[in-house]
Short mmCIF file of all heavy atoms in Angstrom, two decimals:
data_model
loop_
_atom_site.label_atom_id
_atom_site.label_comp_id
_atom_site.label_asym_id
_atom_site.label_seq_id
_atom_site.Cartn_x
_atom_site.Cartn_y
_atom_site.Cartn_z
N ALA A 1 -3.13 -8.67 46.32
CA ALA A 1 -4.07 -8.14 45.34
C ALA A 1 -3.40 -7.12 44.43
O ALA A 1 -3.63 -7.11 43.21
CB ALA A 1 -5.27 -7.50 46.06
N VAL A 2 -2.55 -6.26 44.98
CA VAL A 2 -1.83 -5.26 44.16
C VAL A 2 -0.87 -5.95 43.20
O VAL A 2 -0.76 -5.57 42.02
CB VAL A 2 -1.09 -4.27 45.07
CG1 VAL A 2 -0.16 -3.38 44.26
CG2 VAL A 2 -2.09 -3.42 45.84
N ILE A 3 -0.18 -6.99 43.68
CA ILE A 3 0.75 -7.72 42.80
C ILE A 3 0.00 -8.38 41.65
O ILE A 3 0.43 -8.34 40.48
CB ILE A 3 1.52 -8.76 43.63
CG1 ILE A 3 2.48 -8.07 44.60
CG2 ILE A 3 2.30 -9.70 42.71
CD1 ILE A 3 3.18 -9.00 45.54
N LEU A 4 -1.16 -8.97 41.94
CA LEU A 4 -1.96 -9.56 40.87
C LEU A 4 -2.47 -8.51 39.90
O LEU A 4 -2.52 -8.75 38.68
CB LEU A 4 -3.14 -10.33 41.48
CG LEU A 4 -2.79 -11.64 42.20
CD1 LEU A 4 -4.02 -12.23 42.85
CD2 LEU A 4 -2.18 -12.64 41.23
N LEU A 5 -2.84 -7.34 40.41
CA LEU A 5 -3.30 -6.26 39.53
C LEU A 5 -2.18 -5.81 38.61
O LEU A 5 -2.40 -5.59 37.40
CB LEU A 5 -3.82 -5.10 40.38
CG LEU A 5 -4.30 -3.87 39.60
CD1 LEU A 5 -5.48 -4.23 38.72
CD2 LEU A 5 -4.66 -2.74 40.55
N VAL A 6 -0.97 -5.67 39.15
CA VAL A 6 0.18 -5.29 38.31
C VAL A 6 0.45 -6.35 37.26
O VAL A 6 0.75 -6.04 36.09
CB VAL A 6 1.41 -5.05 39.20
CG1 VAL A 6 2.66 -4.87 38.35
CG2 VAL A 6 1.19 -3.83 40.08
N ALA A 7 0.32 -7.63 37.64
CA ALA A 7 0.54 -8.71 36.67
C ALA A 7 -0.50 -8.67 35.55
O ALA A 7 -0.18 -8.89 34.37
CB ALA A 7 0.51 -10.06 37.39
N ILE A 8 -1.76 -8.38 35.90
CA ILE A 8 -2.81 -8.29 34.87
C ILE A 8 -2.54 -7.13 33.92
O ILE A 8 -2.65 -7.27 32.69
CB ILE A 8 -4.19 -8.14 35.56
CG1 ILE A 8 -4.55 -9.41 36.30
CG2 ILE A 8 -5.26 -7.78 34.54
CD1 ILE A 8 -5.80 -9.27 37.15
N ILE A 9 -2.17 -5.97 34.48
CA ILE A 9 -1.88 -4.81 33.62
C ILE A 9 -0.69 -5.09 32.72
O ILE A 9 -0.68 -4.74 31.53
CB ILE A 9 -1.64 -3.57 34.51
CG1 ILE A 9 -2.93 -3.19 35.24
CG2 ILE A 9 -1.14 -2.40 33.67
CD1 ILE A 9 -2.76 -2.09 36.25
N ALA A 10 0.35 -5.76 33.26
CA ALA A 10 1.52 -6.09 32.44
C ALA A 10 1.16 -7.06 31.32
O ALA A 10 1.63 -6.91 30.18
CB ALA A 10 2.61 -6.69 33.33
N ALA A 11 0.32 -8.05 31.63
CA ALA A 11 -0.10 -9.00 30.58
C ALA A 11 -0.90 -8.30 29.49
O ALA A 11 -0.70 -8.56 28.29
CB ALA A 11 -0.92 -10.13 31.21
N ILE A 12 -1.79 -7.39 29.87
CA ILE A 12 -2.56 -6.64 28.87
C ILE A 12 -1.64 -5.74 28.05
O ILE A 12 -1.79 -5.64 26.82
CB ILE A 12 -3.66 -5.82 29.57
CG1 ILE A 12 -4.68 -6.75 30.22
CG2 ILE A 12 -4.34 -4.88 28.58
CD1 ILE A 12 -5.71 -6.03 31.06
N ALA A 13 -0.67 -5.09 28.69
CA ALA A 13 0.25 -4.22 27.96
C ALA A 13 1.11 -5.00 26.98
O ALA A 13 1.37 -4.54 25.86
CB ALA A 13 1.14 -3.47 28.95
N LEU A 14 1.54 -6.21 27.37
CA LEU A 14 2.34 -7.03 26.46
C LEU A 14 1.51 -7.54 25.29
O LEU A 14 2.01 -7.69 24.18
CB LEU A 14 2.96 -8.20 27.21
CG LEU A 14 4.08 -7.86 28.21
CD1 LEU A 14 4.49 -9.09 28.99
CD2 LEU A 14 5.28 -7.27 27.47
N THR A 15 0.24 -7.82 25.56
CA THR A 15 -0.61 -8.35 24.50
C THR A 15 -1.06 -7.26 23.53
O THR A 15 -1.14 -7.49 22.31
CB THR A 15 -1.85 -9.02 25.13
OG1 THR A 15 -1.41 -10.00 26.07
CG2 THR A 15 -2.69 -9.70 24.06
N MET A 16 -1.33 -6.06 24.03
CA MET A 16 -1.90 -5.01 23.21
C MET A 16 -0.86 -4.09 22.57
O MET A 16 -1.21 -3.07 22.02
CB MET A 16 -2.85 -4.15 24.06
CG MET A 16 -4.02 -4.92 24.63
SD MET A 16 -5.07 -5.64 23.36
CE MET A 16 -5.76 -4.16 22.65
N ARG A 17 0.41 -4.43 22.64
CA ARG A 17 1.40 -3.56 22.02
C ARG A 17 1.25 -3.60 20.50
O ARG A 17 0.83 -4.60 19.92
CB ARG A 17 2.80 -3.99 22.42
CG ARG A 17 3.16 -5.40 22.01
CD ARG A 17 4.51 -5.77 22.54
NE ARG A 17 4.84 -7.16 22.21
CZ ARG A 17 5.94 -7.75 22.59
NH1 ARG A 17 6.82 -7.09 23.30
NH2 ARG A 17 6.16 -9.01 22.27
N LYS A 18 1.63 -2.52 19.84
CA LYS A 18 1.40 -2.38 18.40
C LYS A 18 2.43 -3.18 17.62
O LYS A 18 3.63 -3.07 17.85
CB LYS A 18 1.46 -0.91 18.00
CG LYS A 18 0.33 -0.08 18.59
CD LYS A 18 0.39 1.35 18.10
CE LYS A 18 -0.76 2.17 18.66
NZ LYS A 18 -0.73 3.57 18.20
N ARG A 19 1.92 -3.98 16.69
CA ARG A 19 2.77 -4.74 15.78
C ARG A 19 2.29 -4.42 14.37
O ARG A 19 1.39 -5.09 13.87
CB ARG A 19 2.67 -6.23 16.06
CG ARG A 19 3.13 -6.61 17.46
CD ARG A 19 3.11 -8.11 17.61
NE ARG A 19 3.48 -8.48 18.95
CZ ARG A 19 2.75 -9.24 19.76
NH1 ARG A 19 1.59 -9.68 19.34
NH2 ARG A 19 3.17 -9.56 20.96
N PRO A 20 2.84 -3.42 13.74
CA PRO A 20 2.33 -3.01 12.42
C PRO A 20 2.44 -4.10 11.37
O PRO A 20 1.64 -4.16 10.43
CB PRO A 20 3.20 -1.80 12.05
CG PRO A 20 3.81 -1.35 13.35
CD PRO A 20 3.94 -2.56 14.20
N GLU A 21 3.45 -4.96 11.49
CA GLU A 21 3.66 -5.96 10.45
C GLU A 21 2.68 -7.11 10.53
O GLU A 21 2.42 -7.80 9.55
CB GLU A 21 5.09 -6.51 10.52
CG GLU A 21 5.40 -7.33 11.77
CD GLU A 21 5.74 -6.49 12.97
OE1 GLU A 21 5.73 -5.25 12.84
OE2 GLU A 21 6.02 -7.06 14.03
N THR A 22 2.09 -7.36 11.71
CA THR A 22 1.18 -8.50 11.86
C THR A 22 -0.24 -8.09 12.26
O THR A 22 -1.15 -8.90 12.12
CB THR A 22 1.72 -9.46 12.93
OG1 THR A 22 1.88 -8.76 14.17
CG2 THR A 22 3.07 -10.04 12.50
N THR A 23 -0.43 -6.90 12.78
CA THR A 23 -1.74 -6.50 13.28
C THR A 23 -2.47 -5.65 12.25
O THR A 23 -1.88 -4.73 11.68
CB THR A 23 -1.60 -5.72 14.59
OG1 THR A 23 -0.84 -6.50 15.51
CG2 THR A 23 -2.96 -5.43 15.19
N LYS A 24 -3.73 -5.96 12.00
CA LYS A 24 -4.57 -5.19 11.09
C LYS A 24 -5.60 -4.44 11.92
O LYS A 24 -6.28 -5.02 12.75
CB LYS A 24 -5.27 -6.11 10.09
CG LYS A 24 -4.30 -6.82 9.15
CD LYS A 24 -5.04 -7.68 8.16
CE LYS A 24 -4.07 -8.37 7.20
NZ LYS A 24 -4.79 -9.23 6.23
N TYR A 25 -5.69 -3.14 11.66
CA TYR A 25 -6.60 -2.28 12.42
C TYR A 25 -7.75 -1.85 11.53
O TYR A 25 -7.59 -1.68 10.32
CB TYR A 25 -5.86 -1.05 12.96
CG TYR A 25 -4.77 -1.39 13.94
CD1 TYR A 25 -3.45 -1.50 13.52
CD2 TYR A 25 -5.06 -1.60 15.29
CE1 TYR A 25 -2.44 -1.81 14.41
CE2 TYR A 25 -4.06 -1.91 16.18
CZ TYR A 25 -2.75 -2.02 15.74
OH TYR A 25 -1.77 -2.32 16.63
N GLN A 26 -8.91 -1.67 12.14
CA GLN A 26 -10.10 -1.21 11.45
C GLN A 26 -10.52 0.15 12.00
O GLN A 26 -10.42 0.40 13.19
CB GLN A 26 -11.24 -2.20 11.61
CG GLN A 26 -10.98 -3.55 10.95
CD GLN A 26 -12.15 -4.50 11.13
OE1 GLN A 26 -13.06 -4.21 11.90
NE2 GLN A 26 -12.13 -5.61 10.42
N ASP A 27 -10.99 0.98 11.08
CA ASP A 27 -11.48 2.30 11.45
C ASP A 27 -13.00 2.31 11.26
O ASP A 27 -13.49 2.34 10.12
CB ASP A 27 -10.82 3.38 10.59
CG ASP A 27 -11.16 4.79 11.07
OD1 ASP A 27 -11.92 4.89 12.06
OD2 ASP A 27 -10.66 5.75 10.48
N PRO A 28 -13.78 2.24 12.31
CA PRO A 28 -15.25 2.20 12.16
C PRO A 28 -15.81 3.42 11.43
O PRO A 28 -16.81 3.30 10.71
CB PRO A 28 -15.76 2.14 13.61
CG PRO A 28 -14.61 1.59 14.39
CD PRO A 28 -13.38 2.10 13.71
N ALA A 29 -15.19 4.58 11.60
CA ALA A 29 -15.69 5.77 10.91
C ALA A 29 -15.58 5.62 9.40
O ALA A 29 -16.49 6.00 8.65
CB ALA A 29 -14.91 7.00 11.38
N GLN A 30 -14.48 5.07 8.94
CA GLN A 30 -14.32 4.84 7.50
C GLN A 30 -15.27 3.75 7.00
O GLN A 30 -15.76 3.80 5.87
CB GLN A 30 -12.87 4.45 7.20
CG GLN A 30 -11.87 5.56 7.49
CD GLN A 30 -12.08 6.76 6.57
OE1 GLN A 30 -12.48 6.62 5.42
NE2 GLN A 30 -11.81 7.95 7.11
N GLN A 31 -15.55 2.74 7.83
CA GLN A 31 -16.47 1.69 7.41
C GLN A 31 -17.89 2.21 7.26
O GLN A 31 -18.64 1.78 6.38
CB GLN A 31 -16.44 0.55 8.43
CG GLN A 31 -15.13 -0.24 8.42
CD GLN A 31 -15.12 -1.33 9.46
OE1 GLN A 31 -15.76 -1.21 10.49
NE2 GLN A 31 -14.40 -2.40 9.18
N VAL A 32 -18.28 3.13 8.12
CA VAL A 32 -19.64 3.68 8.02
C VAL A 32 -19.80 4.55 6.78
O VAL A 32 -20.86 4.57 6.15
CB VAL A 32 -19.96 4.49 9.31
CG1 VAL A 32 -21.27 5.25 9.17
CG2 VAL A 32 -20.02 3.56 10.51
N LEU A 33 -18.76 5.28 6.39
CA LEU A 33 -18.83 6.19 5.25
C LEU A 33 -18.63 5.50 3.91
O LEU A 33 -18.57 6.18 2.89
CB LEU A 33 -17.77 7.29 5.42
CG LEU A 33 -17.95 8.22 6.63
CD1 LEU A 33 -16.78 9.19 6.73
CD2 LEU A 33 -19.28 8.97 6.52
N VAL A 34 -18.49 4.19 3.89
CA VAL A 34 -18.22 3.51 2.63
C VAL A 34 -19.45 3.58 1.71
O VAL A 34 -20.58 3.62 2.16
CB VAL A 34 -17.83 2.04 2.92
CG1 VAL A 34 -19.03 1.24 3.39
CG2 VAL A 34 -17.19 1.41 1.70
N LYS A 35 -19.21 3.63 0.40
CA LYS A 35 -20.27 3.70 -0.61
C LYS A 35 -20.24 2.44 -1.47
O LYS A 35 -19.27 1.69 -1.47
CB LYS A 35 -20.09 4.94 -1.49
CG LYS A 35 -20.17 6.25 -0.70
CD LYS A 35 -19.94 7.44 -1.62
CE LYS A 35 -20.00 8.75 -0.84
NZ LYS A 35 -19.74 9.92 -1.70
#
């Protein structure tokens, strides 16, 4: 179970790493304040 948990965390970390050139981020605070 611990090995599977480590594998899940590693997969999430590899998937969620920042790629500025390909990933587009949204700021909900800026979207709410739009006019």
Side-chain angles (χ1 to χ4, degrees):
V2 170
I3 292 174
L4 288 175
L5 178 62
V6 171
I8 292 172
I9 294 173
I12 294 174
L14 289 174
T15 305
M16 299 299 292
R17 60 184 177 182
K18 294 183 178 180
R19 299 184 182 125
E21 67 279 0
T22 58
T23 306
K24 295 182 179 179
Y25 297 96
Q26 295 180 350
D27 188 359
Q30 295 295 328
Q31 290 179 330
V32 172
L33 295 176
V34 71
K35 298 178 181 179

